[in-house]
Amino acid sequence: MSAHPRRARATSPRSLGGRRPRTASGRHGDDTAPTRRAERLRSLFGVRSVAGQVLLFQVIVVVLTVAAALVALVIQSRNDNTRAARLRSLDTATTLAQAPGTASAMTGPDPTAVLQPLTERIRHETGVDLVVVYSREGVRFTHPDPAQIGETVPGSPAPPREPVTRTIDTTQGLSVVSTVPVPGADGAAVASVSVGITVRKVAGMAAEQMPILLGAAAGALAVCAGGTALVSRRLLRQTHGLGPVEMTRMYDHHDAVLHAVREGVLITGGDGRLLLANDEARRLLDLPPDLERPRITELRLDPGIAELLTSDRTATDEVHLTADRLLAVNKRPTAPDGAYAGSVVTLRDTTELRALSGRAEVARERLTLLYDAGMRIGSTLDVERTARELAEAAVPRFADRVTVELAEEVLRGEEPAAPVTVMRRTAVSGGGAGPPPLPVGTAIPLAEGTPQARCVASGRAVLETAPGTAEAGRERDTGHGTRPPDHHAEALIAVPLRARGAVLGVVGFRRTGGAEPFDEEDLPFAEELATRAAVALDNARRYTREHAMAVTLQCSLLPRDLPEPSALELAHRYLPAQAGVGGDWFDVIELSGARVALVVGDVVGHGMHAAATMGRLRTAVHNFATLDLAPDELLARLDDLVARLDREQAAQGEDEGLIGATCLYVVYDPVTGTCCTARAGHPPFALVLPDGTVSFPDLPAGPPLGLGGLPFDSTEFRVPEGSRLVLYTDGLVEDRDRDIDVGLGILRTALSHPDRTPEQTCRAVLDALPPDRARDDIALLVARTRVLDPGRVAGWDVPRETSAVSAVRADVGRQLEAWDLAEVGFTTELILSELVTNAIRHGSAPIHVRLLRDRALICEVSDGSSTSPHLRHAAATDEGGRGLFLVARYAERWGTRYTGTGKVIWTEQSLDGGTTGLGGFPDDADPLDQWSDVTL
């Protein structure tokens, strides 16, 4: 027996198809070569050879294909024959039924004599088997068999309305019969024509194509045999080209490559045995050298790898841990058709690559965390919110617990002091082992020697992993006191929050004992994260400072305490925007005659500029209201002021212009219960009637202030007592997330409740329209109307005669006694005497006097003149000119307002008789000595 059986088999020229050496003449040395070639050809087409099996398979395929084609041809031919028979019988019957003489013959004396010859000629010329004409009652008029003419077909129905074709089996075979009605002159069927034909008469196509099909099958068999012979000859020739030495050398090369590659190769059988393992596979799996087709389960392999080798599933770069190696395993079946007859498995050691990819994955996660933190930190210009975002961004992707402490000055928006000795806990995120940290808001001193103090002093991040230092840092974060030792040591990174060279605070990153501790490679990342957060914190700090200054300025310009007029019950709310102080404002101004002006306005823009402009406009409205201007005239003057301010800013080169402002001005008169209002680009107010009905009065919409070009219109209407006037700015109902109509609908619903006080109304409105993270200021002013009791109003018409003054004084005196105000009678008579006398002398008719008893005594004298008296100093030699000094002396306030028919001079006096006018007279002086313009 040979010592190397594989080599022994390889040397057989027969087994490897080697060629024998030729002689010098070029012929084979063996005379039996032709005989051997013939035997080889006979064996080539043997049933057991591959070529013979391929040829047999091709013959079977061709025969089956030809049989299927024949069946399909027969079926198709039968269908075509039936269809042709239908068409021929139907065409013949239709032609005969619609022939001009057919209907007339049916109505003639002898239809058979006319139609029988015609139908027989048609039957012979068209090749049909049957042409029969039936009467309406089913009597045959024509038939190939004359004996059946004149007979009635039993059960024959009336002629059909439409042509009918049927396929029936007859003694002559399968036949097709078509029946067509014969229309009469009136269109009704007078007879029917039936034409029949057997299917076999139109057959014959299959017989014509059969030779062609058989010839094609024979040709296909010849081509298959020739192709198989050529391919087999070529394969045989290629195999004979290699001798035993070449085949052996090829095997040696293949064996060397298989055992020299750096990847392990395993081949397993379908029975669960290991068939082949190269050297690298033995090294990676620690397999013994003497293996003789062992079972996989007998090897000491990792359970995961053993399960994969014994299963029939495939794998691609499936990672398994065995001993101290990470192996990437690939598995594919060896059977080409996918059946599980065995598998080939490759193993690759990825331990070093895994470590390198792990570091790359950590770096990628850090970059992703920095990107996410940059997108998350600083989303709002709020210091505390930014600190919370920093703490939440690092947990749990970088640390188990994060604490942020900021200097007190930073929280107030100020520059941090140097050095920083005390900080306040601003944010905490995460948990971990150990006691809980100090809560947010706790003041924490920077104790010397702590990581926090050292990082502030050095300006760099400090890493602490020593148990003693970490424990001290934990005590600092969780409060003071004696605690049992914590065996869960913490790793701490303390990083200063620096911006523009100043320390804003400290951020502490902690990992508990259950997590991987920090190392030096984590310090750059912690510093980068803290640097980005410090920039956002500094921006929020500066914004906090500017926002606080703007809010302070705005609050100083807004009314702090509203007046308490008897005509209205008031409540208000003002909420500055979170994103920046705006220019919304409101005001309540007491006017003459117990009237009250309600004002709301909005300056376009935000910041200090808008707040300062708002203050200027509010002051201007106060000044214009002092002149008792009508609402439309007041807005016209305010429009001129805004346009002038805009021109001044443009002349100074300021980029930020006013663009415009809006205003709503409402004057309520409690004596008449009327409102006079005008608006400049502002939303109309809401009117809530005592029964809860809510409406938005259709007020003339003037242009915003500062645009100019269009006049303002005012509207006057009555308001029932107990109604509520709700004035607001657009920030209440407008929002980028909802339409203004939706906001007005919510406001209407919130207001539609009767018997609510103004304070309750404010609360209900803000509950229904919550200003969370408001992007614009919100001003809300609610006023519930009252009407002055008619018993507190008295008036008299005065003729333009100086003698009427005494009568007026008498009427006024009696009215004051009726009101129990006799103590102010003298001063009131004195004031009215002067005012009435001036109206008589310098005014025009009609002249009217009115007294109002409100919180003060109001005297009004109206006339038809628009000339207003002025207070002046009279010379010592002047006989008059001192009356208005007496009026100013005894009245708290006095003034003039213009009406559509003239003017009104009014005064207000305290009901207790006190005076707060220009000043008193000497104790020994008689006021009447100074009265020069009054006729007593």
Side-chain angles (χ1 to χ4, degrees), residues 467-533:
T469 308
E471 185 67 26
R474 188 185 307 121
E475 290 180 0
R476 172 189 176 275
D477 284 336
T478 57
H480 302 283
T482 304
R483 288 189 176 89
D486 187 3
H487 300 288
H488 296 278
E490 285 186 349
L492 166 67
I493 294 180
V495 188
L497 296 169
R498 297 174 59 88
R500 297 183 299 110
V503 177
L504 306 179
V506 176
V507 55
F509 303 97
R510 284 176 171 77
R511 288 181 182 174
T512 61
E516 182 181 356
F518 291 118
D519 54 26
E520 293 292 338
E521 295 182 357
D522 295 319
L523 291 180
F525 173 78
E527 289 181 340
E528 178 66 22
L529 184 60
T531 299
R532 297 192 180 192

Side-chain angles (χ1 to χ4, degrees), residues 106 111-112 115-116 132-135 139-143 149-150 191:
M106 293 298 299
T112 301
L115 296 176
Q116 177 67 13
V132 181
V133 179
Y134 297 93
S135 67
V139 177
R140 297 190 186 98
F141 288 141
T142 65
H143 195 275
I149 297 176

Side-chain angles (χ1 to χ4, degrees), residues 758-916:
E759 187 66 28
Q760 293 172 342
T761 301
C762 288
R763 287 198 298 267
V765 169
L766 294 183
D767 289 342
L769 295 162
D772 296 338
R773 310 302 303 171
R775 301 180 180 92
D776 196 4
D777 291 6
I778 295 176
L780 177 63
L781 180 61
V782 180
R784 184 161 62 180
T785 62
R786 299 169 181 162
V787 176
L788 194 61
D789 188 357
R792 292 174 174 264
V793 182
W796 302 271
D797 293 327
V798 181
R800 195 177 178 187
E801 299 176 359
T802 56
S803 59
V805 177
S806 59
V808 171
R809 284 202 307 271
D811 293 338
V812 170
R814 287 191 295 270
Q815 185 62 54
L816 293 178
E817 288 180 359
W819 286 345
D820 295 329
L821 297 176
E823 64 275 8
V824 298
F826 174 75
T827 56
T828 304
E829 293 177 10
L830 187 62
I831 292 172
L832 284 176
S833 297
E834 170 60 24
L835 298 180
V836 172
T837 300
N838 282 341
I840 292 174
R841 290 182 177 180
H842 307 292
S844 61
I847 300 173
H848 185 77
V849 175
R850 188 173 70 166
L851 291 182
L852 303 177
R853 182 184 177 183
D854 195 23
R855 292 183 303 169
L857 181 63
I858 302 173
C859 302
E860 296 181 346
V861 177
S862 61
D863 66 88
S865 173
S866 59
T867 303
S868 176
H870 298 282
L871 189 67
R872 65 184 180 87
H873 292 278
T877 58
D878 290 342
E879 295 182 358
R882 300 176 180 83
L884 289 182
F885 278 97
L886 292 176
V887 174
R889 167 63 180 81
Y890 288 107
E892 289 186 348
R893 295 194 308 156
W894 75 281
T896 304
R897 72 171 180 269
Y898 294 93
T899 64
T901 58
K903 67 176 181 300
V904 176
I905 309 298
W906 56 270
T907 63
E908 289 186 6
Q909 301 168 246
S910 176
L911 296 181
D912 58 5
T915 59
T916 58

Side-chain angles (χ1 to χ4, degrees), residues 296-312:
I296 303 298
T297 55
E298 298 174 356
L299 301 175
R300 297 179 180 179
L301 299 178
D302 176 75
I305 295 181
E307 185 275 332
L308 176 61
L309 295 180
T310 55
S311 66
D312 57 352

Side-chain angles (χ1 to χ4, degrees), residues 546-616:
E546 295 180 2
H547 184 73
M549 293 172 59
V551 170
T552 302
L553 173 62
Q554 188 181 44
C555 292
S556 65
L557 297 176
L558 288 172
R560 299 188 179 183
D561 295 319
L562 294 181
E564 297 180 0
S566 59
L568 297 171
E569 181 183 356
L570 300 169
H572 69 281
R573 293 288 188 277
Y574 187 86
L575 302 174
Q578 296 292 329
V581 176
D584 292 14
W585 54 285
F586 68 96
D587 212 337
V588 178
I589 306 172
E590 292 185 290
L591 304 177
S592 63
R595 297 172 305 134
V596 181
L598 305 175
V599 192
V600 291
D602 184 6
V603 177
V604 176
H606 293 83
M608 301 283 288
H609 176 76
T613 304
M614 177 270 294
R616 301 170 77 174

Side-chain angles (χ1 to χ4, degrees), residues 744-765:
L744 291 175
I746 298 174
L747 178 61
R748 182 190 299 271
T749 303
L751 294 176
S752 60
H753 295 275
D755 301 329
R756 273 183 178 171
T757 64
E759 187 66 28
Q760 293 172 342
T761 301
C762 288
R763 287 198 298 267
V765 169

